[in-house]
Amino acid sequence: MSQFVHLHLHTDYSMLDGACDVEKLVKRVKELGMPAVAMTDHGNIFGAVHFVNAARAVDVKPIVGCELYVCKKEDHHTERTPPEGDTYNHLLVLAENEEGYRNLTKITSEASLHGFYYKPRISKKFLAEHSRGLLALSGCLKGEVAERLMESNYDAARAAAASYRDIFGEKNFYLEIQDQGLAMEHRIHPGLFQLEKDLGVPLVATNDSHYLCEDDAHAQDVMVCIQTGKSIQDTNRMKFEGNQFFVKSHEEMSRVFKDAPDVLSRTLDIAERCNLKLEKVSSPFPHFDVPAGFTLDSYFEHVTREGFARRLEVLRPMEGKGQLKHSLADYEQRLARELAIIQQMKFSGYFLIVWDFIRYAKEHDIPVGPGRGSAAGALVAYSLGITDIDPLQHELLFERFLNPERISMPDIDIDFCMNRRGEVIDYVTRKYGRDNVAQIHHVRHDGGEGGDQGRRPRHGRSLHRCGSHREDGSQPAHITLEEAIQESPQLHDAYEKDSQIRELLETAKKLEGLVRNSGVHAAGVVISPRPLTELVPLHKTKNDEIVTAFDMVAIEKLGLLKMDFLGLTTLTILDDTIKLIAQTRGQKLELAALPLEDDETYHKVFDKGLTSGVFQFESHGMRDVLRRVPAELHRRPYRVERTLSAGADSGWHDR
């Protein structure tokens, strides 16, 4: 086993600065025989959940940390925002346990929400108030201790180190020593060893890793160019000096620190101390008030049966006309079975929460979609007014939505009018508390064709000049660069014959799939049973929107309640159309009452491919198919076949 662990490491979640993919990182660490590795991105812990899961999957201990930006001016102690003109120092912190993780979420949230001034900054005062469970390292050349030593001010360096020792505790603060071959690093090494002797604060070696392997240095340099808007040929730009900022092996680190092996072995001691589990939230649902005399289950059943009674007012006349495919007795049996399963799986609260905000929307004339996805197979959802699609009449299966043999959180996607979606989110925020509700962070990854580094001719050449389309002219979605090279003869030929194009593509392949930037998820909203900063970090976007610092996948892995509030322009158009018809013709249309077998609609709309805005039928390819298919097929009745498959794709399937 390696006698060294990387404690200072930037992944691609250090936006356009770190060029280290999390999945590749943990595999590389495993290959090097290292028992643990830390993730310490600049000012955030965006990737913590993905990192923890990836590391555990290869049996490497994950250490969650962050390289903080600490304000220099002490007057920030009495303010929520850093004073203008303030500068900052770096400081590395690692979560030792669950308490440390909770404090780290509060620190990074405070820095982003209230301390952002070019960078998400934090004060020493806030650090001191939230230091329990954290281990701290003095940082790189931008650390306060290192800066004072570079100024040849040993007394100030000693005072800075002593202040951090006081903040975090005598056993929880370490002096950090680095050697990426920089002259300034070598200059301060004697001072660091003297501080260790004078203060009794142990020295620990780190490598300020920003990319995986030594030959990734050029690709990371290109990424920095993208971040700063510079060309690779520019001489006056931000640039990492040398090529030693990679994930080195124990042997490589031993050669660098051959005269001080203790600074390497102490990294194992720190790794032993860090034991964060980052487990799922045990009770993800917020408290839902029910009337006196009801439990959560009984009230859920009560409002469901009330809703079903209202649906019966439509179903009974249909049964009398012979229009129902199933008897009302079948409906009653289906409803009782669904209620029992939902209560057994302890999801009554979930349905009440969804029922409540949809009821609010409808009571305030906010257009709501009729339902889509597997939730449309639930008679309970139809009864509660969550959906307006009769699952029995359309032969939809409840088991595709919820299955007691494969327990997972229900997922109901709800469409709202684009213009009024925010009103529903505001209602939920007021009901469950502003600290308990937030939209969800969305991280964008660099996709195929090289992303930015391929589109922008930073190398003096453009990838698109070479072409990456198939022979039929189509441009396949989600294609990787390697696939594009193999599929496009023109691109493959350029790759083989043009050294500059080859270099561009090889660089782009190294950056492909890395985090590019971030924003707000189009639909996701998380509702927590307690203040979110106790569970996940929060982040303020460039548009001052407050979102979770974890993305949708991470939120789901933590077991938090996530809802999709999708703003749909189509609903807005439909609502405006109905209002215009009422104003101009005096007719009040009910969308739910419109016939689905209208021959004129099929003839004028579907036969001619005039389906822009019709879900699943608006693409160029679908419109072309509609125009070519014989018109009578559009109006032919269909049947649903239910088949039970075995193997990896097991379960009921509709055809």
Side-chain angles (χ1 to χ4, degrees), residues 320-615:
K321 297 175 184 177
Q323 295 175 341
L324 282 186
K325 296 180 181 178
H326 296 267
S327 69
L328 291 181
D330 291 338
Y331 279 82
E332 291 283 359
Q333 291 175 7
R334 170 81 168 258
L335 187 66
R337 180 168 61 86
E338 289 188 15
L339 284 168
I341 289 174
I342 292 168
Q343 290 169 343
Q344 171 194 334
M345 298 177 75
K346 303 188 184 303
F347 290 145
S348 296
Y350 175 90
F351 279 88
L352 286 172
I353 291 166
V354 179
W355 162 75
D356 177 66
F357 66 68
I358 287 183
R359 179 183 62 170
Y360 171 86
K362 291 181 176 179
E363 288 175 353
H364 290 79
D365 297 320
I366 299 172
V368 183
R372 58 186 172 89
S374 61
L379 183 59
V380 163
Y382 179 62
S383 301
L384 290 171
I386 293 172
T387 65
D388 288 315
I389 299 167
D390 182 342
L392 276 76
Q393 190 72 352
H394 292 88
E395 303 286 358
L396 301 177
L397 301 175
F398 176 71
E399 288 75 13
R400 294 193 65 177
F401 173 57
L402 276 184
N403 191 326
E405 296 179 4
R406 194 169 50 191
I407 296 177
S408 59
M409 186 77 78
D411 188 16
I412 301 178
D413 297 332
I414 302 116
D415 299 324
F416 293 104
C417 163
M418 177 65 78
N419 293 342
R420 303 187 65 189
R421 166 182 175 263
E423 294 178 42
V424 186
I425 296 176
D426 286 342
Y427 168 73
V428 170
T429 302
R430 294 194 306 271
K431 184 176 181 69
Y432 299 105
R434 188 158 297 279
D435 293 336
N436 297 30
V437 179
Q439 291 182 258
I440 296 176
H441 192 212
H442 176 60
V443 174
R444 301 180 185 92
H445 293 263
D446 224 340
E449 301 198 18
D452 272 349
Q453 65 275 9
R455 281 188 288 272
R456 302 180 187 181
R458 299 289 181 208
H459 293 65
R461 301 289 293 274
S462 172
L463 174 60
H464 287 277
R465 188 183 69 79
C466 307
S468 58
H469 294 68
R470 287 176 171 154
E471 290 186 31
D472 62 2
S474 65
Q475 189 173 11
H478 308 301
I479 188 171
T480 67
L481 272 169
E482 189 58 43
E483 290 169 338
I485 293 169
Q486 297 304 319
E487 289 197 17
S488 169
Q490 186 182 5
L491 185 60
H492 185 270
D493 187 59
Y495 177 80
E496 293 293 333
K497 296 178 179 179
D498 190 323
S499 60
Q500 197 172 11
I501 291 296
R502 177 188 286 271
E503 181 190 354
L504 171 63
L505 289 169
E506 288 301 321
T507 300
K509 282 197 283 185
K510 288 180 181 292
L511 300 181
E512 187 175 23
L514 298 182
V515 173
R516 176 182 168 189
N517 54 32
S518 65
V520 184
H521 192 277
V525 174
V526 62
I527 308 172
S528 167
R530 56 185 190 268
L532 279 165
T533 51
E534 296 180 11
L535 301 169
V536 297
L538 296 182
H539 170 66
K540 184 183 284 187
T541 70
K542 62 182 179 181
N543 297 322
D544 288 336
E545 299 158 302
I546 296 176
V547 298
T548 63
F550 290 162
D551 64 15
M552 181 79 82
V553 175
I555 289 294
E556 290 175 342
K557 286 185 180 295
L558 286 177
L560 284 164
L561 178 60
K562 178 269 302 179
M563 300 283 186
D564 278 346
F565 292 56
L566 190 65
L568 205 61
T569 305
T570 308
L571 284 176
T572 308
I573 294 171
L574 288 170
D575 187 56
D576 289 344
T577 303
I578 289 171
K579 289 174 181 175
L580 284 171
I581 291 172
Q583 291 172 8
T584 57
R585 300 188 183 182
Q587 292 177 269
K588 186 175 181 181
L589 291 181
E590 292 287 343
L591 288 177
L594 293 178
L596 298 180
E597 297 83 17
D598 183 68
D599 190 73
E600 191 173 2
T601 297
Y602 284 115
H603 177 66
K604 289 187 175 180
V605 176
F606 280 81
D607 289 1
K608 297 179 180 179
L610 303 175
T611 51
S612 294
V614 181
F615 184 58

Side-chain angles (χ1 to χ4, degrees), residues 113 170-171 179 233 365 422 428 457 488 651:
L113 301 185
E170 188 175 350
K171 303 289 187 182
D179 189 345
Q233 288 87 11
D365 297 320
V428 170
S488 169

Side-chain angles (χ1 to χ4, degrees), residues 201-378:
V201 176
L203 266 172
V204 175
T206 67
N207 204 67
D208 194 1
S209 305
H210 280 72
Y211 40 90
L212 201 58
C213 301
E214 188 173 353
D215 61 3
D216 293 333
H218 175 69
Q220 192 265 350
D221 193 33
V222 171
M223 177 173 273
V224 173
C225 287
I226 295 170
Q227 178 196 38
T228 55
K230 300 289 185 178
S231 168
I232 200 78
Q233 288 87 11
D234 289 345
T235 55
N236 185 25
R237 63 177 177 87
M238 176 183 170
K239 180 178 174 62
F240 280 58
E241 187 179 337
N243 60 353
Q244 296 300 298
F245 296 86
F246 66 97
V247 181
K248 294 180 178 177
S249 67
H250 174 238
E251 290 73 19
E252 289 167 321
M253 291 297 291
S254 295
R255 287 196 291 271
V256 174
F257 293 101
K258 59 182 181 297
D259 297 326
D262 288 350
V263 300
L264 300 179
S265 60
R266 286 190 190 114
T267 61
L268 294 179
D269 299 333
I270 293 174
E272 281 291 321
R273 292 183 61 180
C274 295
N275 294 291
L276 174 65
K277 291 190 169 34
L278 203 60
E279 294 177 339
K280 279 190 173 185
V281 177
S282 57
S283 301
F285 298 127
H287 176 72
F288 187 91
D289 287 323
V290 298
F294 285 99
T295 64
L296 206 61
D297 282 341
S298 65
Y299 188 61
F300 161 62
E301 184 164 353
H302 171 74
V303 296
T304 301
R305 291 199 175 277
E306 276 190 339
F308 182 63
R310 289 190 291 272
R311 295 295 190 187
L312 283 174
E313 295 173 8
V314 176
L315 294 175
R316 284 198 181 99
M318 290 179 66
E319 185 184 45
K321 297 175 184 177
Q323 295 175 341
L324 282 186
K325 296 180 181 178
H326 296 267
S327 69
L328 291 181
D330 291 338
Y331 279 82
E332 291 283 359
Q333 291 175 7
R334 170 81 168 258
L335 187 66
R337 180 168 61 86
E338 289 188 15
L339 284 168
I341 289 174
I342 292 168
Q343 290 169 343
Q344 171 194 334
M345 298 177 75
K346 303 188 184 303
F347 290 145
S348 296
Y350 175 90
F351 279 88
L352 286 172
I353 291 166
V354 179
W355 162 75
D356 177 66
F357 66 68
I358 287 183
R359 179 183 62 170
Y360 171 86
K362 291 181 176 179
E363 288 175 353
H364 290 79
D365 297 320
I366 299 172
V368 183
R372 58 186 172 89
S374 61

